[in-house]
Amino acid sequence: KVPVYLPLKIPKFEAPMPSGYEMAVESTITPSGYDMSLFWRPKGSSTSAYDTADYVGEIIANQTNPIGQINSLLSPLKYETSIRLSNGTIAKDYKVSKIKKASYQSGEIITWKSRRWTYVADGWTSTKDFIYSTTAVGIAETIAKFVQKQPVLKNVKDGYVEALVWGGNQPLMQVCWTYNDKEWYWISTTSSLDNTLNEANSVRLIQSSSN
């Protein structure tokens, strides 16, 4: 049975909410974990259907190690160099080729490991609607600045912070971690990277097992 860990705050659900909408949570509980999908829906509606525009994120516990997802992202990127971030962190910089510039189309991922955490910054095309850096370097700098001040979560055995490209060029922020190599916990959001890191930082044990 899986201990239940939940964030104390979900920034995108804090006021003001979109006019005419309310928060909804669709939950699935199994013997090996749980999955909570968070989304907006019209007030008074009981629908559990939503599209990518209304999707806010997920809180998951399962037995899936995220390393497979990361390896699949890196596999097309054959050119590897090193990069020094502004805080002195030396990271690996993966690109499709030496001559391609950093964008989602050309492909660039910056990743590094520190204190049991792996950080993955996946760059994508700049869009005026995005409220945060969209280059791999800009995303990596945001992560490095946060973790320099505080750990994402304490007492984890292994963890990942991933800023990824989701369907339709939509950003997806993920924090994944394990305390024992058995259960993995995931927080996924379409909110800003700072919001996602602060949400993960607020996670607390709610129930010792999912009875």
Side-chain angles (χ1 to χ4, degrees):
K1 296 182 179 180
V2 180
V4 177
Y5 287 87
L6 296 175
L8 300 182
K9 58 183 178 182
I10 303 174
K12 199 170 180 180
F13 280 163
E14 295 175 358
M17 292 185 182
S19 177
Y21 280 75
E22 64 184 3
M23 178 184 76
V25 180
E26 181 81 2
S27 300
T28 302
I29 299 175
T30 69
S32 59
Y34 53 87
D35 187 334
M36 302 171 64
S37 298
L38 291 69
F39 57 97
W40 299 116
R41 68 182 177 194
K43 287 183 177 178
S45 171
S46 60
T47 182
S48 59
Y50 57 89
D51 57 28
T52 55
D54 298 320
Y55 174 86
V56 175
E58 286 183 276
I59 301 169
I60 301 172
N62 59 27
Q63 297 176 343
T64 305
N65 188 320
I67 189 63
Q69 179 188 54
I70 294 171
N71 288 340
S72 67
L73 290 170
L74 293 176
S75 61
L77 308 180
K78 305 301 183 183
Y79 184 72
E80 177 188 338
T81 58
S82 295
I83 185 172
R84 180 185 292 271
L85 302 179
S86 60
N87 69 346
T89 296
I90 304 298
K92 293 181 179 180
D93 189 352
Y94 295 91
K95 297 178 183 178
V96 170
S97 72
K98 185 175 181 179
I99 61 173
K100 293 289 187 179
K101 59 183 180 178
S103 69
Y104 174 54
Q105 285 91 342
S106 62
E108 181 179 28
I109 292 178
I110 294 174
T111 181
W112 71 99
K113 295 182 179 181
S114 178
R115 297 178 182 177
R116 300 186 179 183
W117 285 87
T118 299
Y119 305 100
V120 181
D122 183 7
W124 53 77
T125 308
S126 296
T127 302
K128 64 181 181 179
D129 295 332
F130 288 178
I131 58 174
Y132 28 74
S133 297
T134 56
T135 66
V137 174
I139 297 163
E141 292 285 5
T142 299
I143 296 172
K145 183 178 179 181
F146 184 95
V147 299
Q148 188 173 24
K149 297 178 181 178
Q150 59 191 327
V152 180
L153 277 166
K154 296 179 179 179
N155 302 319
V156 304
K157 188 170 184 179
D158 203 2
Y160 296 83
V161 173
E162 307 169 46
L164 310 173
V165 178
W166 193 37
N169 255 12
Q170 186 171 354
L172 180 67
M173 310 302 169
Q174 293 189 149
V175 179
C176 322
W177 70 96
T178 183
Y179 296 105
N180 57 15
D181 277 338
K182 296 179 181 179
E183 299 90 22
W184 282 87
Y185 296 89
W186 300 63
I187 288 179
S188 302
T189 84
T190 57
S191 186
S192 72
L193 180 53
D194 278 329
N195 276 354
T196 306
L197 291 169
N198 280 302
E199 180 180 336
N201 190 251
S202 75
V203 165
R204 300 292 184 272
L205 177 64
I206 303 301
Q207 187 174 324
S208 59
S209 64
S210 54
N211 293 325

